[in-house]
Short mmCIF file of all heavy atoms in Angstrom, two decimals:
data_model
loop_
_atom_site.label_atom_id
_atom_site.label_comp_id
_atom_site.label_asym_id
_atom_site.label_seq_id
_atom_site.Cartn_x
_atom_site.Cartn_y
_atom_site.Cartn_z
N ALA A 1061 24.97 -14.56 -9.89
CA ALA A 1061 25.40 -14.29 -8.51
C ALA A 1061 25.36 -12.79 -8.22
O ALA A 1061 24.87 -12.38 -7.15
CB ALA A 1061 26.80 -14.84 -8.27
N VAL A 1062 25.86 -11.99 -9.14
CA VAL A 1062 25.87 -10.54 -8.93
C VAL A 1062 24.44 -10.02 -8.78
O VAL A 1062 24.13 -9.27 -7.84
CB VAL A 1062 26.60 -9.81 -10.08
CG1 VAL A 1062 26.37 -8.31 -10.04
CG2 VAL A 1062 28.09 -10.13 -10.03
N ILE A 1063 23.56 -10.42 -9.68
CA ILE A 1063 22.16 -9.98 -9.60
C ILE A 1063 21.53 -10.48 -8.30
O ILE A 1063 20.83 -9.74 -7.61
CB ILE A 1063 21.37 -10.48 -10.83
CG1 ILE A 1063 21.88 -9.77 -12.08
CG2 ILE A 1063 19.87 -10.24 -10.65
CD1 ILE A 1063 21.43 -10.38 -13.38
N GLY A 1064 21.80 -11.73 -7.95
CA GLY A 1064 21.24 -12.30 -6.73
C GLY A 1064 21.70 -11.58 -5.48
O GLY A 1064 20.91 -11.29 -4.59
N VAL A 1065 22.99 -11.28 -5.39
CA VAL A 1065 23.52 -10.58 -4.22
C VAL A 1065 22.92 -9.19 -4.10
O VAL A 1065 22.56 -8.74 -3.00
CB VAL A 1065 25.07 -10.53 -4.25
CG1 VAL A 1065 25.62 -9.57 -3.21
CG2 VAL A 1065 25.64 -11.93 -4.03
N ILE A 1066 22.76 -8.50 -5.23
CA ILE A 1066 22.15 -7.16 -5.18
C ILE A 1066 20.70 -7.27 -4.70
O ILE A 1066 20.27 -6.51 -3.82
CB ILE A 1066 22.24 -6.45 -6.55
CG1 ILE A 1066 23.71 -6.15 -6.89
CG2 ILE A 1066 21.41 -5.16 -6.54
CD1 ILE A 1066 23.93 -5.66 -8.30
N TYR A 1067 19.93 -8.19 -5.28
CA TYR A 1067 18.55 -8.37 -4.83
C TYR A 1067 18.48 -8.78 -3.36
O TYR A 1067 17.59 -8.38 -2.63
CB TYR A 1067 17.82 -9.41 -5.68
CG TYR A 1067 17.11 -8.86 -6.87
CD1 TYR A 1067 17.39 -9.33 -8.15
CD2 TYR A 1067 16.12 -7.88 -6.75
CE1 TYR A 1067 16.74 -8.84 -9.27
CE2 TYR A 1067 15.46 -7.38 -7.85
CZ TYR A 1067 15.77 -7.86 -9.11
OH TYR A 1067 15.12 -7.38 -10.21
N LEU A 1068 19.43 -9.58 -2.91
CA LEU A 1068 19.43 -10.05 -1.53
C LEU A 1068 19.77 -8.94 -0.55
O LEU A 1068 19.12 -8.78 0.48
CB LEU A 1068 20.43 -11.21 -1.39
CG LEU A 1068 20.45 -11.96 -0.07
CD1 LEU A 1068 19.10 -12.60 0.21
CD2 LEU A 1068 21.54 -13.03 -0.10
N LEU A 1069 20.77 -8.13 -0.87
CA LEU A 1069 21.25 -7.12 0.06
C LEU A 1069 20.64 -5.74 -0.13
O LEU A 1069 20.48 -4.99 0.84
CB LEU A 1069 22.79 -7.02 -0.02
CG LEU A 1069 23.54 -8.32 0.30
CD1 LEU A 1069 25.04 -8.12 0.14
CD2 LEU A 1069 23.18 -8.83 1.68
N ALA A 1070 20.34 -5.38 -1.37
CA ALA A 1070 19.82 -4.03 -1.65
C ALA A 1070 18.89 -4.06 -2.86
O ALA A 1070 19.22 -3.54 -3.93
CB ALA A 1070 20.97 -3.07 -1.88
N PRO A 1071 17.72 -4.69 -2.74
CA PRO A 1071 16.84 -4.86 -3.91
C PRO A 1071 16.43 -3.55 -4.56
O PRO A 1071 16.21 -3.50 -5.77
CB PRO A 1071 15.63 -5.61 -3.34
CG PRO A 1071 15.69 -5.44 -1.87
CD PRO A 1071 17.13 -5.25 -1.52
N HIS A 1072 16.36 -2.48 -3.79
CA HIS A 1072 15.95 -1.19 -4.36
C HIS A 1072 16.92 -0.70 -5.44
O HIS A 1072 16.51 0.03 -6.34
CB HIS A 1072 15.83 -0.14 -3.25
CG HIS A 1072 17.12 0.17 -2.58
ND1 HIS A 1072 17.62 -0.64 -1.57
CD2 HIS A 1072 18.02 1.16 -2.78
CE1 HIS A 1072 18.79 -0.12 -1.17
NE2 HIS A 1072 19.05 0.95 -1.89
N LEU A 1073 18.19 -1.12 -5.39
CA LEU A 1073 19.16 -0.68 -6.40
C LEU A 1073 18.75 -1.12 -7.81
O LEU A 1073 18.90 -0.37 -8.77
CB LEU A 1073 20.56 -1.19 -6.08
CG LEU A 1073 21.24 -0.59 -4.87
CD1 LEU A 1073 22.61 -1.23 -4.65
CD2 LEU A 1073 21.37 0.92 -4.99
N LEU A 1074 18.26 -2.34 -7.93
CA LEU A 1074 17.82 -2.81 -9.24
C LEU A 1074 16.40 -2.37 -9.55
O LEU A 1074 16.08 -2.00 -10.68
CB LEU A 1074 17.90 -4.34 -9.31
CG LEU A 1074 19.31 -4.92 -9.38
CD1 LEU A 1074 19.27 -6.44 -9.33
CD2 LEU A 1074 20.03 -4.47 -10.64
N LEU A 1075 15.54 -2.38 -8.56
CA LEU A 1075 14.13 -2.06 -8.79
C LEU A 1075 13.92 -0.59 -9.14
O LEU A 1075 13.02 -0.27 -9.91
CB LEU A 1075 13.30 -2.47 -7.58
CG LEU A 1075 13.31 -3.97 -7.28
CD1 LEU A 1075 12.60 -4.27 -5.97
CD2 LEU A 1075 12.69 -4.75 -8.42
N ASP A 1076 14.76 0.29 -8.59
CA ASP A 1076 14.64 1.71 -8.91
C ASP A 1076 14.83 1.99 -10.40
O ASP A 1076 14.20 2.89 -10.95
CB ASP A 1076 15.66 2.53 -8.11
CG ASP A 1076 15.30 2.68 -6.64
OD1 ASP A 1076 14.16 2.32 -6.26
OD2 ASP A 1076 16.15 3.15 -5.87
N VAL A 1077 15.67 1.19 -11.05
CA VAL A 1077 15.91 1.35 -12.49
C VAL A 1077 14.61 1.21 -13.27
O VAL A 1077 14.38 1.91 -14.26
CB VAL A 1077 16.95 0.32 -12.99
CG1 VAL A 1077 17.06 0.33 -14.51
CG2 VAL A 1077 18.30 0.57 -12.34
N TYR A 1078 13.73 0.32 -12.82
CA TYR A 1078 12.49 0.04 -13.53
C TYR A 1078 11.30 0.80 -12.97
O TYR A 1078 10.17 0.60 -13.39
CB TYR A 1078 12.18 -1.46 -13.48
CG TYR A 1078 13.38 -2.31 -13.78
CD1 TYR A 1078 13.85 -3.23 -12.85
CD2 TYR A 1078 14.05 -2.21 -14.99
CE1 TYR A 1078 14.96 -4.01 -13.12
CE2 TYR A 1078 15.17 -2.98 -15.26
CZ TYR A 1078 15.62 -3.88 -14.32
OH TYR A 1078 16.71 -4.64 -14.58
N GLY A 1079 11.55 1.65 -11.97
CA GLY A 1079 10.46 2.41 -11.38
C GLY A 1079 9.61 1.61 -10.42
O GLY A 1079 8.46 1.95 -10.14
N VAL A 1080 10.15 0.52 -9.87
CA VAL A 1080 9.43 -0.30 -8.90
C VAL A 1080 9.88 0.12 -7.51
O VAL A 1080 11.07 0.20 -7.22
CB VAL A 1080 9.72 -1.80 -9.13
CG1 VAL A 1080 9.05 -2.65 -8.06
CG2 VAL A 1080 9.29 -2.23 -10.52
N ASP A 1081 8.92 0.38 -6.65
CA ASP A 1081 9.22 0.84 -5.30
C ASP A 1081 8.75 -0.20 -4.29
O ASP A 1081 7.61 -0.66 -4.36
CB ASP A 1081 8.51 2.18 -5.05
CG ASP A 1081 8.93 2.83 -3.75
OD1 ASP A 1081 10.06 2.59 -3.29
OD2 ASP A 1081 8.11 3.59 -3.19
N ILE A 1082 9.63 -0.57 -3.39
CA ILE A 1082 9.26 -1.51 -2.33
C ILE A 1082 8.51 -0.73 -1.26
O ILE A 1082 9.05 0.20 -0.68
CB ILE A 1082 10.51 -2.20 -1.75
CG1 ILE A 1082 11.18 -3.04 -2.83
CG2 ILE A 1082 10.13 -3.05 -0.54
CD1 ILE A 1082 12.49 -3.67 -2.40
N GLN A 1083 7.26 -1.13 -1.00
CA GLN A 1083 6.40 -0.40 -0.09
C GLN A 1083 6.23 -1.05 1.29
O GLN A 1083 5.74 -0.42 2.20
CB GLN A 1083 5.00 -0.24 -0.72
CG GLN A 1083 5.00 0.56 -2.00
CD GLN A 1083 5.26 2.03 -1.75
OE1 GLN A 1083 4.80 2.60 -0.77
NE2 GLN A 1083 6.03 2.64 -2.63
N SER A 1084 6.63 -2.32 1.42
CA SER A 1084 6.38 -3.00 2.69
C SER A 1084 7.44 -4.06 2.94
O SER A 1084 8.13 -4.49 2.00
CB SER A 1084 5.00 -3.66 2.66
OG SER A 1084 5.03 -4.79 1.79
N PRO A 1085 7.55 -4.50 4.18
CA PRO A 1085 8.47 -5.61 4.47
C PRO A 1085 8.13 -6.88 3.69
O PRO A 1085 9.02 -7.63 3.31
CB PRO A 1085 8.30 -5.83 5.98
CG PRO A 1085 7.86 -4.50 6.51
CD PRO A 1085 6.99 -3.93 5.41
N SER A 1086 6.86 -7.10 3.42
CA SER A 1086 6.46 -8.29 2.65
C SER A 1086 6.99 -8.21 1.22
O SER A 1086 7.47 -9.22 0.67
CB SER A 1086 4.94 -8.44 2.64
OG SER A 1086 4.47 -8.70 3.94
N GLU A 1087 6.92 -7.05 0.62
CA GLU A 1087 7.46 -6.88 -0.74
C GLU A 1087 8.98 -7.08 -0.73
O GLU A 1087 9.52 -7.73 -1.63
CB GLU A 1087 7.11 -5.51 -1.29
CG GLU A 1087 5.65 -5.35 -1.62
CD GLU A 1087 5.29 -3.94 -2.04
OE1 GLU A 1087 6.07 -3.00 -1.82
OE2 GLU A 1087 4.19 -3.78 -2.61
N ALA A 1088 9.65 -6.53 0.25
CA ALA A 1088 11.10 -6.70 0.35
C ALA A 1088 11.43 -8.18 0.51
O ALA A 1088 12.38 -8.69 -0.12
CB ALA A 1088 11.65 -5.89 1.52
N ASN A 1089 10.65 -8.88 1.31
CA ASN A 1089 10.86 -10.30 1.55
C ASN A 1089 10.73 -11.10 0.26
O ASN A 1089 11.53 -12.00 -0.02
CB ASN A 1089 9.86 -10.80 2.60
CG ASN A 1089 10.08 -12.24 2.97
OD1 ASN A 1089 9.68 -13.12 2.21
ND2 ASN A 1089 10.69 -12.47 4.10
N ILE A 1090 9.76 -10.76 -0.56
CA ILE A 1090 9.54 -11.45 -1.83
C ILE A 1090 10.76 -11.29 -2.74
O ILE A 1090 11.26 -12.25 -3.33
CB ILE A 1090 8.26 -10.95 -2.52
CG1 ILE A 1090 7.03 -11.44 -1.75
CG2 ILE A 1090 8.21 -11.40 -3.98
CD1 ILE A 1090 5.74 -10.76 -2.15
N PHE A 1091 11.27 -10.07 -2.86
CA PHE A 1091 12.42 -9.83 -3.73
C PHE A 1091 13.70 -10.42 -3.17
O PHE A 1091 14.51 -10.97 -3.90
CB PHE A 1091 12.60 -8.33 -4.01
CG PHE A 1091 11.60 -7.81 -4.99
CD1 PHE A 1091 10.57 -6.98 -4.57
CD2 PHE A 1091 11.67 -8.15 -6.33
CE1 PHE A 1091 9.63 -6.50 -5.47
CE2 PHE A 1091 10.74 -7.68 -7.24
CZ PHE A 1091 9.72 -6.85 -6.81
N ARG A 1092 13.89 -10.31 -1.85
CA ARG A 1092 15.12 -10.84 -1.25
C ARG A 1092 15.17 -12.37 -1.36
O ARG A 1092 16.23 -12.94 -1.62
CB ARG A 1092 15.24 -10.40 0.20
CG ARG A 1092 15.57 -8.94 0.37
CD ARG A 1092 15.73 -8.58 1.84
NE ARG A 1092 15.66 -7.17 2.08
CZ ARG A 1092 16.66 -6.31 1.98
NH1 ARG A 1092 17.85 -6.75 1.61
NH2 ARG A 1092 16.49 -5.03 2.24
N SER A 1093 14.05 -13.03 -1.17
CA SER A 1093 14.06 -14.50 -1.23
C SER A 1093 13.92 -15.01 -2.66
O SER A 1093 14.73 -15.82 -3.12
CB SER A 1093 12.97 -15.08 -0.34
OG SER A 1093 11.69 -14.72 -0.82
#
């Protein structure tokens, strides 16, 4: 649940740790859903 809520509301918080950058609304949509 904690991981899911973070990905749903602020995916960049987890992705920044791994050096992954969200570049488009489509990428954000993939991670949020």
